Amino acid sequence: MSFYHLDPNRRGERMARRIEQLDDYRVLRRLPRPDEMWCRSMPVSNNEIRLAIVDCETTGLDPERNKMIEFAVGILTIDADMGDVIDVTPPQSWLEDPAEDLPFEIERLTHITSDMLIGKWFPDAAIVKAMADITAVVAHHARFDRGFATKRFPALASLPWICSMDDVDWPALGFTGGRGINALLTEAGFFLPNAHRAAADVWATTCLLASTAPDGRAIAAQMVETARRQSERLYATRAPFECKDMLKAAGYRWSPERKAWWTEGDPERIANERSWLTRLAGSIRPLTERVDWFVRHG
């Protein structure tokens, strides 16, 4: 996880290291500042991957009924050949008035109040400029954020989207306590001030993805490699209700739009799943679709 500068001679860091020698304590450090991040200073090739890392706060969970009230974006640039970080742009964030009072639970969760939003509007031109020349958009819960972001900024719908929650094999990297931002940060030894504000969540995601994986590349490089692969999505159409628990136990998810349980994987795994589904219930009609990073999190 060595991806940032931290002076080992600072008094606070010396005290933290002494405490860490005791079995009864664990120390969480603040997230690094942008100027403390490791970025390669030597010349780089023209083969760059520019990732726009985004997050939004909303008035609810449904992009058809609810509205976005905060949007943040930061840029993480990695070398496509070496896989290391070559530039980090700190997040920018903006607020927008939804023209309605915020639900109490949203104010409590985000610490954004209705008064803070009065007269605020997203500056479309500035946001488009901040996301110019990007390779892909990254969100930690891409299906949620994409629904709101592409409704407000339709141009984002044509870009590839990556989910840093699902497109990273966090357990294989040693993160076994969950895939949420706070759980991942805690395992990495950090804490997140201002959680559930868009800019804070973008910066936390940036720091996690800039971390060094066991192969020496940034986690972001592994994520892009995974996201770029084409895969197959299998729908267990017409699955009887009594199969629900078995499908959930097998890792299938429910699609309200398709009204079917589904799973995704490489062609060999999906072929095996099709065979299993036909044995599970005679009424199931397996349906397979090819997916890529343009549609995977749509």
Side-chain angles (χ1 to χ4, degrees):
M1 301 296 289
S2 57
F3 64 99
Y4 68 103
H5 306 269
L6 189 60
D7 185 358
N9 295 316
R10 289 195 323 175
R11 182 169 179 268
E13 180 61 18
R14 293 200 308 269
M15 294 174 64
R17 294 188 179 193
R18 290 184 63 184
I19 292 173
E20 286 178 326
Q21 295 175 3
L22 305 174
D23 293 336
D24 293 335
Y25 298 93
R26 185 181 180 197
V27 177
L28 298 181
R29 291 167 173 80
R30 64 165 173 79
L31 285 168
R33 297 186 299 267
D35 62 295
E36 296 171 325
M37 299 282 282
W38 286 106
C39 291
R40 196 206 310 170
S41 58
M42 59 193 296
V44 298
S45 68
N46 293 324
N47 194 11
E48 298 179 358
I49 297 173
R50 283 172 49 84
L51 302 173
I53 301 175
V54 304
D55 187 73
C56 61
E57 302 300 334
T58 68
T59 61
L61 302 177
D62 184 353
E64 297 303 317
R65 296 187 302 107
N66 303 122
K67 298 178 182 179
M68 188 160 55
I69 56 174
E70 186 175 35
F71 184 73
V73 58
I75 306 296
L76 176 65
T77 306
I78 60 176
D79 186 306
D81 298 318
M82 300 298 293
D84 55 344
V85 175
I86 55 180
D87 191 48
V88 177
T89 302
Q92 303 177 69
S93 65
W94 304 270
L95 297 172
E96 183 160 88
D97 190 343
E100 60 187 46
D101 288 335
L102 295 184
F104 171 74
E105 59 269 20
I106 297 299
E107 290 191 342
R108 182 174 59 183
L109 178 68
T110 66
H111 301 293
I112 298 172
T113 65
S114 297
D115 289 344
M116 293 168 58
L117 301 174
I118 295 174
K120 301 288 187 179
W121 299 99
F122 291 144
D124 293 50
I127 292 173
V128 169
K129 182 179 179 180
M131 301 181 70
D133 302 321
I134 63 170
T135 307
V137 184
V138 180
H140 198 65
H141 191 348
R143 191 174 301 273
F144 173 84
D145 290 288
R146 182 175 185 171
F148 282 93
T150 56
K151 183 179 180 182
R152 180 60 180 80
F153 309 111
L156 300 183
S158 63
L159 294 169
W161 279 72
I162 302 175
C163 182
S164 54
M165 182 185 298
D166 292 339
D167 293 331
V168 176
D169 190 351
W170 292 108
L173 295 172
F175 294 84
T176 58
R179 293 173 176 265
I181 287 286
N182 284 320
L184 293 171
L185 285 177
T186 298
E187 287 208 59
F190 297 103
F191 64 90
L192 174 61
N194 301 319
H196 299 297
R197 287 299 301 267
D201 287 348
V202 165
W203 185 241
T205 304
T206 300
C207 291
L208 286 166
L209 295 178
S211 304
T212 306
D215 66 359
R217 299 184 297 163
I219 291 175
Q222 293 188 350
M223 177 186 69
V224 170
E225 189 176 88
T226 297
R228 274 181 162 158
R229 294 175 186 157
Q230 287 196 340
S231 57
E232 292 185 349
R233 187 167 292 173
L234 174 63
Y235 292 92
T237 61
R238 300 187 185 179
F241 179 79
E242 55 267 24
C243 293
K244 172 176 64 72
D245 291 338
M246 286 179 284
L247 290 167
K248 287 179 66 176
Y252 282 66
R253 303 179 185 181
W254 175 252
S255 169
E257 298 83 8
R258 303 292 288 268
K259 293 183 171 52
W261 293 92
W262 64 274
T263 190
E264 186 176 325
D266 60 74
E268 181 178 358
R269 174 175 172 261
I270 294 303
N272 292 332
E273 290 290 333
R274 287 179 66 95
S275 298
W276 178 69
L277 288 176
T278 56
R279 296 194 303 270
L280 182 64
S283 65
I284 296 179
R285 297 293 181 266
L287 175 64
T288 304
E289 295 179 354
R290 182 70 59 88
V291 295
D292 59 21
W293 66 348
F294 287 95
V295 301
R296 180 171 291 118
H297 303 296

